[in-house]
Amino acid sequence: MARLVVLYMTPKDAAVFDKHYFEIHIPLAKKIPGLRKYEVSVGGVGSPAGDSGVHLVATLEFDDMAAIQAAFASAEGQAASADVQVFAPGDRTQMFLFENREV
Amino acid sequence: MARLVVLYMTPKDAAVFDKHYFEIHIPLAKKIPGLRKYEVSVGGVGSPAGDSGVHLVATLEFDDMAAIQAAFASAEGQAASADVQVFAPGDRTQMFLFENREV
């Protein structure tokens, strides 16, 4: 499997962020072709030192890296990417793409 | 489920890092009580902009946040944490802890 992990830094207004994320972004992102599983963090995101600075972690699973590339290139992927700029503009997100295996 | 995601920044010597991670750290970390699943990234970790600056992503799953706290407090968790300081000293790691649910 391959995974897209998105870290959303703590927004100015968490309630506004959450409303947009859960009501608009998730339905948009769930339309992305090739998406096998979509998970989000619940409650706070911690770190061993305490506050992590991250508000929400999204984990999207695909069959492989080629499927992620195809997802980004699709109309649905472009719509979801454009939406991120609405509720998390600028450098308020970090995205990581990788093949994943159990050890 | 609850998840511990560890981002290891690109080390000075990737071969040395990998040897230690796969031969020493994984066997140590797999002893941590309550660990349900342990996954690592394979090959490079990308970002939409290209290089992510991250060498390896580790994802450890536990039943809930209490299980992660207990894991960190255990002798096996402490040994694994101490080992991280050997192969990834200083601020070369980021750790995120969160409850996770499918949407």
Side-chain angles (χ1 to χ4, degrees), chain A residues 24-63:
Chain A
I24 297 172
H25 190 69
I26 288 178
L28 268 179
K30 288 191 80 166
K31 292 181 187 167
I32 295 173
L35 177 63
R36 298 293 183 208
K37 197 173 185 185
Y38 187 176
E39 296 164 296
V40 298
S41 59
V42 179
V45 178
S47 80
D51 180 39
S52 66
V54 171
H55 177 63
L56 188 140
V57 178
T59 307
L60 285 77
E61 282 199 350
F62 295 84
D63 286 342

Side-chain angles (χ1 to χ4, degrees), chain B residues 17-83:
Chain B
F17 177 100
D18 287 349
K19 185 173 169 62
H20 191 114
Y21 191 84
F22 286 92
E23 294 182 7
I24 298 172
H25 190 68
I26 288 179
L28 268 180
K30 289 190 79 167
K31 293 181 186 166
I32 295 174
L35 177 63
R36 298 294 183 207
K37 196 174 186 185
Y38 185 178
E39 296 164 298
V40 299
S41 57
V42 179
V45 179
S47 80
D51 180 40
S52 65
V54 170
H55 177 63
L56 188 139
V57 178
T59 307
L60 285 76
E61 282 199 352
F62 296 85
D63 286 343
D64 51 31
M65 291 295 280
I68 293 185
Q69 301 298 339
F72 270 102
S74 70
E76 296 87 348
Q78 302 256 320
S81 293
D83 183 55

Side-chain angles (χ1 to χ4, degrees), chain A residues 20-101:
Chain A
H20 191 114
Y21 191 84
F22 287 92
E23 294 183 5
I24 297 172
H25 190 69
I26 288 178
L28 268 179
K30 288 191 80 166
K31 292 181 187 167
I32 295 173
L35 177 63
R36 298 293 183 208
K37 197 173 185 185
Y38 187 176
E39 296 164 296
V40 298
S41 59
V42 179
V45 178
S47 80
D51 180 39
S52 66
V54 171
H55 177 63
L56 188 140
V57 178
T59 307
L60 285 77
E61 282 199 350
F62 295 84
D63 286 342
D64 51 32
M65 291 295 279
I68 294 185
Q69 300 300 339
F72 269 104
S74 70
E76 296 87 349
Q78 301 257 318
S81 293
D83 184 55
V84 171
Q85 294 306 314
V86 175
F87 69 90
D91 59 352
R92 304 298 294 163
T93 59
Q94 292 184 63
M95 289 194 190
F96 301 102
L97 323 171
F98 51 92
E99 294 271 358
N100 210 41
R101 73 174 171 89

